[in-house]
Amino acid sequence: MDFKELSLKDIKLPNCWETKPNKTEYMEFVYQEAIEMEVWRKDNEIDILTHHHVTDLSRFFWPNADFEGLVLGAELMVWFFSFDDLFDGGFIDENENEQFRLVNRMNNVFLEGIIENDSTGAERMGYHLRNKVKLICGEKRLSTFLRFNSSCIQWIDSIIPFIKLKRNQRTLDFNLYLHHRKYNIGAIPCFIISEIILDPMSTIDSFIWSDSRWIKMNEIISEIIALVNDCASYEKEIKENGAPLNPLKFIQIEKNFNLPEAFEYISNYLNVIIKQYIELESSFIKSYNNNNNNNNSNFISIVNHLHNMSFANVTWSTQTPRYLSQTQPFIELRRNTKIITKICNLKNK
């Protein structure tokens, strides 16, 4: 495999999983919310571009959602980014006490529904998101809220262990990495949000989503989204910090592979779990689609939406300026556009 021929198309996602992105009107509404919560700085050009990048994923993940659904998804994305960036962006460096302090404060937002008087923008967005989902769910679908809340706490608690994976290690084990990454990518809360968006009247028995097959399907799609994201961000991470936690990098070191061989290793793994997912999905649908009085169209929509999100992530990754460059190893992400130059100029300010 030639370096210049790396392609995300080697990841064999079924074409029927592809969807077209939704409209963008929700972005300005969420931007104003984030300004009020002091997540972003008003009229700051870097924050405006960051907001567009962060919230743009909502229209790809929820292509059939209405305005309120897109807003909910975008609020989740803003919360993810604003909290994770404190750690990933180097704002607190290696200060373990500060890391644990911030994690405990955010955990309290979701565990107890409280925020401190000196709350950060990320904490205010998390508090808003938790209360909004709780209000939407109400007593009728309390279990959905509880699962969403638990998934957010799981993501919060994944941040520090994921950071520590790279400490004092020349390389990483791929399976150990995936075990942490499938929770750290933050996809599980997105899947639960989909239940609210696609089944607004709560017509589906909640116990269905506790089926072990559905949980495994969620984990597989999380791995697909995570590994595609890692491939797309490889060049960006190499330039920023050497990509110590990127599997394309540590697989090269661990197995003495070149870049094309490392990508082949990842794409082969992904193609195996894609087949596993398809088998699980078929079994899961057969168990419930014709065996209850629920709204079957909503049930099928939620199931289909889960795998559609994996394809949507690929589509988004090939369009977001965050990963595009003239020297990208993946041909789908290789661009020579004005916006790339603009972002580079802003980063250098």
Side-chain angles (χ1 to χ4, degrees):
M1 184 188 300
D2 187 88
F3 175 82
K4 295 181 180 179
E5 295 179 346
L6 292 184
S7 173
L8 294 176
K9 291 182 180 179
D10 288 336
I11 302 168
K12 304 300 183 182
L13 294 171
N15 289 332
C16 62
W17 290 6
E18 185 175 8
T19 57
K20 294 182 179 180
N22 212 320
K23 298 178 181 180
T24 62
E25 285 82 356
Y26 66 94
M27 289 185 181
E28 178 61 24
F29 180 86
V30 179
Y31 174 72
Q32 294 301 328
E33 281 189 327
I35 290 293
E36 292 174 7
M37 297 180 202
E38 298 182 356
V39 176
W40 310 130
R41 297 160 292 184
K42 187 176 182 180
D43 298 327
N44 182 280
E45 198 168 1
I46 294 177
D47 285 0
I48 291 172
L49 283 173
T50 301
H51 176 78
H52 184 276
H53 157 71
V54 170
T55 58
D56 190 46
L57 188 54
S58 183
R59 69 189 184 99
F60 286 85
F61 267 11
W62 293 283
N64 299 316
D66 60 14
F67 179 83
E68 292 300 325
L70 289 167
V71 166
L72 184 61
E75 289 169 341
L76 179 62
M77 298 303 165
V78 171
W79 173 64
F80 279 148
F81 178 87
S82 59
F83 187 59
D84 185 61
D85 198 50
L86 294 172
F87 303 84
D88 193 45
F91 293 102
I92 55 177
D93 299 318
E94 296 297 321
N95 187 330
E96 290 189 356
N97 290 334
E98 183 65 5
Q99 290 174 356
F100 282 108
R101 185 184 75 85
L102 290 173
V103 164
N104 288 334
R105 280 172 59 117
M106 189 61 80
N107 266 332
N108 280 335
V109 170
F110 285 86
L111 287 168
E112 304 295 342
I114 58 174
I115 55 173
E116 304 292 338
N117 292 331
D118 61 343
S119 59
T120 65
E123 289 167 355
R124 288 188 284 273
M125 181 59 80
Y127 180 75
H128 167 78
L129 186 64
R130 178 194 186 275
N131 291 342
K132 184 174 183 177
V133 172
K134 184 177 182 181
L135 180 64
I136 293 172
C137 289
E139 290 297 325
K140 186 176 181 181
R141 57 194 314 175
L142 179 61
S143 64
T144 303
F145 164 70
L146 294 176
R147 286 188 297 113
F148 171 76
N149 217 42
S150 295
S151 71
C152 289
I153 294 167
Q154 185 182 55
W155 176 76
I156 295 165
D157 287 340
S158 77
I159 294 175
I160 294 177
F162 189 70
I163 293 173
K164 291 183 179 296
L165 278 177
K166 67 181 179 182
R167 183 169 293 178
N168 300 322
Q169 295 191 55
R170 178 175 174 271
T171 186
L172 288 172
D173 176 77
F174 183 63
N175 293 306
L176 175 63
Y177 170 82
L178 272 182
H179 176 74
H180 288 274
R181 185 61 167 147
K182 65 186 175 185
Y183 301 113
N184 178 258
I185 192 64
I188 303 297
C190 296
F191 302 154
I192 300 174
I193 286 289
S194 297
E195 295 176 33
I196 298 171
I197 293 174
L198 298 175
D199 185 34
M201 302 305 294
S202 186
T203 60
I204 303 172
D205 291 330
S206 59
F207 72 84
I208 289 177
W209 311 122
S210 297
D211 189 300
S212 56
R213 288 167 297 183
W214 178 250
I215 293 171
K216 183 64 176 178
M217 288 159 62
N218 276 240
E219 292 180 354
I220 291 174
I221 298 298
S222 294
E223 289 187 11
I224 295 171
I225 290 174
L227 289 172
V228 167
N229 180 271
D230 291 338
C231 289
S233 65
Y234 170 75
E235 186 191 49
K236 175 179 175 291
E237 293 179 47
I238 286 290
K239 291 178 179 178
E240 291 179 351
N241 60 13
L245 279 177
N246 191 295
L248 277 177
K249 177 66 174 182
F250 67 70
I251 288 173
Q252 290 181 66
I253 298 173
E254 181 184 9
K255 299 187 178 297
N256 195 28
F257 282 172
N258 57 30
L259 179 59
E261 290 170 333
F263 176 61
E264 184 177 19
Y265 182 90
I266 291 175
S267 61
N268 286 342
Y269 174 81
L270 284 171
N271 292 334
V272 169
I273 65 172
I274 288 169
K275 291 180 180 179
Q276 181 185 5
Y277 177 89
I278 292 171
E279 293 173 357
L280 280 171
E281 182 184 78
S282 176
S283 172
F284 180 69
I285 289 174
K286 288 178 182 178
S287 294
Y288 296 111
N289 191 31
N290 298 311
N291 195 36
N292 60 76
N293 294 320
N294 293 313
N295 187 325
N296 283 345
S297 64
N298 284 2
F299 170 73
I300 294 298
S301 293
I302 292 173
V303 175
N304 287 341
H305 186 76
L306 181 61
H307 62 231
N308 289 346
M309 291 177 83
S310 65
F311 209 117
N313 182 62
V314 175
T315 306
W316 174 81
S317 296
T318 62
Q319 296 184 27
T320 175
R322 185 177 177 86
Y323 301 141
L324 305 182
S325 81
Q326 300 175 50
T327 55
Q328 257 284 355
F330 294 94
I331 57 176
E332 294 89 353
L333 281 72
R334 208 171 295 157
R335 299 284 199 283
N336 183 10
T337 63
K338 292 181 180 179
I339 194 166
I340 294 174
T341 303
K342 183 177 182 180
I343 289 175
C344 289
N345 290 338
L346 284 170
K347 287 181 176 179
N348 292 329
K349 282 187 176 181

